[in-house]
Amino acid sequence: MVVPAAHPPPPAYEWRLPPGFPVPRVPADNPMTTAKVDLGRRLFYERALSGNGTYACASCHRQELAFTDGRARAAGSTGELHPRSAPSLANVAYGATLTWADPRLTRLEDQARIPMFNEHPVELGLFGREDEVLGRLRSDPDYPGMFAAAFPGGVASSDDAAPPGDPDPVSVANVVRAIACFERTLISGDSPYDHLLYKDDAGALSESAKRGMRLFFSERLHCSRCHVGFTFSGPVAFEGARPIAPTFHNTGLYNLGGDGSYPEDNPGLYGITGRAEDMGRFRAPTLRNIALTAPYMHDGSIATLAEVIEHYARGGRLVSSGPYAGDGRDSQRKSDLVRGFDLDDRGKADLVEFLKSLTDRSFVSDPRIAAPARSGAPAPRGPR
Amino acid sequence: MKKVAHSKVVRIALLIGVVFALLPGDLRASGGSPMPRPSGGSSSSGMPAAPPKTPEEQAVDYYNAGLKLRDKALALQKEAAQASNEKDRAKLEKKAQQEFDKAIAQFRKATEKNAMFHEAHSDLGFALRKTGDYPAALQAYDRALSLAPAYTPAVEYRAEAYLGLDRVEDAKQAYMVLFAGDRGRADELLRAMKGWVEERRAAPGSLTPDALQEFSSWVTQREELAGQTPSVSELQQRQW
């Protein structure tokens, strides 16, 4: 066995975690380093990382929208529509499972390959074009040096399929490693709500938002039973947490044909397990920065927060006509926790106010996670 | 004037004692558990004579002796709280105070032998507080925290000493530190704050009724927020 030249272990990475946030779990084969984070940031905003050179991760995950795209359904580099909407990447380091409904996807390193190489739908459109893209990166004035600094061991992995002894660190495996490291720094915990909670700033929330907070956490509304903890989301994984079974819920958004079915292109967990009870089950997404990430739900089919609350208050959505007609309230697949509740207009407005208090302005304007300036070229605007 | 203040202090000390006696045992002590002696000085059985103990080792011995006395005192206080009549209660409480005094002497010696021993400073503060000597307790906690700023037992118990001196703003600040860093200790402090509010309602201290009311609603609000916010260790164990 050839032992690669010894390199001193990098100094322990210094997380900048908000109060109440545990240390994210990091795969042993991809420890956090500043060099990888810097490279990953550059790659995240890199349009050369798409087949036709027009698209980057950041095209669908825009910082000012808490790393969503503002669309109901994401559109790829060739204009093809994705069946689902781009979720926020805020605190994605803690996701026990990734994407809307896939229990198998637990590592950001694995997830990042999907938009790169997907064919159905095309996102970045790199399928079959690895060499071309890696060639672009190698001929860039900055990348070879950045890859060398981030991966001083050269050939980095067995899944890389690089020829033995090839010292070139510019590889797909290292691209996804670096991007994953950057994604783990997308941490959002500095909203008015956090100021109330950890800085004892009683004025951070309006009286209306405080009433909404009580409703959100109440046993009557149940919101916090599914949108849990410091991420306001489904299951989280972090350093020291025990392994958990992923959880997905059907909130009664659809009830096609009266048997609880969802539209064919978005059956939720059912699409993976094929089990009838998994129809329409999705992961509870984070509610942090939710005021910035409209439209809502896995398919962007609800335009506003007020309408989301109507949906829960009713105990399921009524689609009165068209191909998706059906009353979600009567769905036999719906979660027991979505039972509906009586709430007057003031209560509904209060709940929206509370959700707005989860917006972290410093996260969406933090220059450390914004598009980096390129050497020799003016700083690009985030790709659109 | 002085006398009034003193009797109040004693009454509060008693009340805190009762509150403590009602707490589960593992929450009661200030976090101190017996220390192993620093390595290096121990001798194996075949050796003729043990080398003389270093000051650090002596400090640990004093500290461990102090912990034993402290635990004895806490047990006596618990008994006192359960006593069927006032006379027995007073007697047991007096005994407890004597044990705390002995513990104080041991902890003091520990800190004299090893001035950097933050646990000893902290437990000295704890025992002093239990005898109602809040200013001296504060000094000891301050020393512990200057040596080990992240030592949350001292943060919590110093806050309880602040309460004894009606310094509610300082106690609130300590709560916020604990809420972010050590939720178990934060919850414990919040319980102590509630007990303190009740005590001050019955026997007002230097706070105006309005200020006391304001603090009381602050405690209620923080309790609500804490109830809504699962701690990291709860999330660690959570069944989703």
Side-chain angles (χ1 to χ4, degrees):
Chain A
M1 192 183 143
V2 183
V3 180
H7 288 276
Y13 182 78
E14 204 183 306
W15 293 98
R16 292 181 309 258
L17 298 173
F21 279 50
V23 176
R25 186 174 290 168
V26 173
D29 62 357
N30 190 23
M32 295 290 287
T33 65
T34 310
K36 278 193 270 184
V37 171
D38 290 348
L39 172 60
R41 172 182 172 200
R42 189 62 190 269
L43 291 166
F44 186 86
Y45 287 96
E46 181 55 75
R47 271 167 279 193
L49 216 60
S50 60
N52 57 17
T54 63
Y55 242 57
C57 307
S59 305
C60 296
H61 299 288
R62 290 162 50 185
Q63 182 185 16
E64 70 273 26
L65 299 178
F67 296 92
T68 63
D69 62 359
R71 307 175 52 104
R73 294 173 173 217
S77 56
T78 58
E80 197 178 338
L81 279 190
H82 195 289
R84 285 172 292 285
S85 88
S88 169
L89 302 187
N91 304 318
V92 74
Y94 298 100
T97 65
L98 299 170
T99 71
W100 282 100
D102 191 343
R104 304 164 305 187
L105 209 49
T106 59
R107 285 168 43 114
L108 287 167
E109 286 78 358
D110 301 332
Q111 195 283 329
R113 288 175 187 265
I114 298 175
M116 288 168 72
F117 299 113
N118 232 4
E119 289 182 280
H120 305 292
V122 169
E123 295 181 68
L124 294 171
L126 295 182
F127 181 76
R129 303 173 78 160
E130 287 92 333
D131 290 342
E132 184 188 330
V133 168
L134 294 176
R136 283 185 210 158
L137 298 179
R138 286 189 190 109
S139 59
D140 180 276
D142 298 339
Y143 278 121
M146 294 183 83
F147 273 92
F151 301 99
V155 176
S157 94
S158 47
D159 63 347
D160 207 0
D166 182 349
D168 185 357
V170 182
S171 65
V172 169
N174 285 344
V175 167
V176 300
R177 283 196 181 95
I179 290 179
C181 282
F182 171 65
E183 289 180 295
R184 293 193 174 98
T185 69
L186 302 177
I187 285 175
S188 172
D190 190 29
S191 67
Y193 170 74
D194 299 291
H195 295 183
L196 171 68
L197 205 54
Y198 290 105
K199 294 185 178 164
D200 200 20
D201 178 358
L205 262 60
S206 65
E207 286 309 312
S208 165
K210 282 185 193 161
R211 288 191 300 269
M213 176 175 75
R214 264 169 223 130
L215 289 168
F216 184 88
F217 289 101
S218 68
E219 267 308 301
R220 191 157 71 90
L221 267 61
H222 288 314
C223 311
S224 59
R225 292 276 286 275
C226 297
H227 301 279
V228 183
F230 63 98
T231 56
F232 288 85
S233 76
V236 289
F238 53 89
E239 211 42 67
R242 66 165 183 193
I244 42 98
T247 319
F248 303 87
H249 316 271
N250 177 318
T251 66
L253 221 44
Y254 294 99
N255 184 7
L256 306 194
D259 67 357
S261 287
Y262 269 46
E264 211 174 339
D265 55 351
N266 273 321
L269 186 58
Y270 173 85
I272 284 164
T273 65
R275 296 188 321 197
E277 65 267 33
D278 290 337
M279 175 58 74
R281 286 192 176 171
F282 291 87
R283 189 189 62 177
T286 181
L287 299 185
R288 283 193 176 269
N289 305 298
I290 194 72
L292 303 177
T293 66
Y296 301 109
M297 305 315 213
H298 65 272
D299 56 359
S301 60
I302 300 188
T304 65
L305 288 175
E307 289 166 83
V308 172
I309 289 164
E310 286 303 334
H311 152 63
Y312 283 114
R314 198 176 172 281
R317 178 171 63 178
L318 175 67
V319 181
S320 37
S321 61
Y324 298 153
D327 192 348
R329 177 159 64 186
D330 303 332
S331 169
Q332 66 211 56
R333 300 285 173 223
K334 193 183 66 173
S335 162
D336 285 345
L337 293 171
V338 181
R339 286 178 216 147
F341 44 82
D342 277 329
L343 197 60
D344 60 13
D345 287 347
R346 188 177 95 146
K348 288 172 184 165
D350 289 344
L351 198 46
V352 171
E353 279 310 300
F354 170 64
L355 293 174
K356 286 185 184 165
S357 81
L358 300 175
T359 299
D360 176 352
R361 291 279 157 205
S362 62
F363 177 66
V364 294
S365 60
D366 185 348
R368 292 169 301 195
I369 54 175
R374 284 176 151 276
S375 63
R381 296 163 47 90
R384 291 296 128 90
Chain B
M1 180 72 196
K2 213 164 179 168
K3 216 166 193 174
V4 173
H6 182 75
S7 73
K8 189 167 51 202
V9 161
V10 168
R11 242 181 299 138
I12 289 145
L14 293 183
L15 177 95
I16 292 177
V18 171
V19 170
F20 264 81
L22 298 173
L23 289 174
D26 55 346
L27 290 181
R28 227 182 296 128
S30 71
S33 47
M35 295 259 150
R37 290 219 274 122
S39 59
S42 69
S43 60
S44 65
S45 53
M47 301 285 258
K53 286 185 177 179
T54 65
E56 285 77 17
E57 289 169 336
Q58 292 171 31
V60 169
D61 288 346
Y62 284 128
Y63 177 67
N64 286 339
L67 290 182
K68 268 196 194 142
L69 291 160
R70 176 204 68 185
D71 288 345
K72 199 169 158 193
L74 288 170
L76 282 164
Q77 276 196 327
K78 195 172 167 183
E79 251 186 88
Q82 290 161 353
S84 52
N85 61 67
E86 179 56 24
K87 210 176 133 203
D88 288 356
R89 197 199 57 74
K91 222 163 112 188
L92 286 162
E93 185 56 48
K94 195 172 165 209
K95 267 192 177 167
Q97 292 296 321
Q98 286 165 352
E99 295 304 313
F100 277 127
D101 285 337
K102 288 187 210 161
I104 289 169
Q106 296 296 315
F107 289 138
R108 267 205 211 290
K109 282 187 194 150
T111 60
E112 282 157 16
K113 287 287 172 194
N114 177 4
M116 308 300 284
F117 197 170
H118 69 266
E119 291 96 336
H121 286 288
S122 179
D123 279 289
L124 173 61
F126 179 87
L128 283 165
R129 182 165 60 79
K130 300 292 281 179
T131 62
D133 191 349
Y134 295 107
L138 270 190
Q139 255 182 20
Y141 287 130
D142 284 346
R143 181 88 188 110
L145 286 169
S146 72
L147 294 168
Y151 189 58
T152 52
V155 176
E156 189 208 333
Y157 290 111
R158 181 170 65 177
E160 294 192 27
Y162 285 144
L163 288 178
L165 295 166
D166 288 357
R167 287 170 59 175
V168 289
E169 288 307 317
D170 291 318
K172 279 161 73 172
Q173 256 184 29
Y175 176 80
M176 294 313 297
V177 169
L178 293 172
F179 185 72
D182 185 342
R183 281 288 293 282
R185 295 275 169 196
D187 293 347
E188 204 180 327
L189 177 56
L190 210 55
R191 281 194 292 271
M193 286 172 159
K194 283 174 78 175
W196 178 85
V197 167
E198 288 315 307
E199 169 68 9
R200 279 292 185 271
R201 288 230 163 95
S206 64
L207 250 56
T208 64
D210 281 354
L212 185 62
Q213 185 49 40
E214 201 179 299
F215 179 69
S216 172
S217 26
W218 182 87
V219 171
T220 310
Q221 280 163 27
R222 292 310 314 187
E223 203 177 18
E224 184 185 11
L225 289 172
Q228 291 168 355
T229 313
S231 68
V232 165
S233 45
E234 275 170 77
L235 288 175
Q236 244 166 23
Q237 296 305 320
R238 189 186 158 93
Q239 304 266 14
W240 291 82

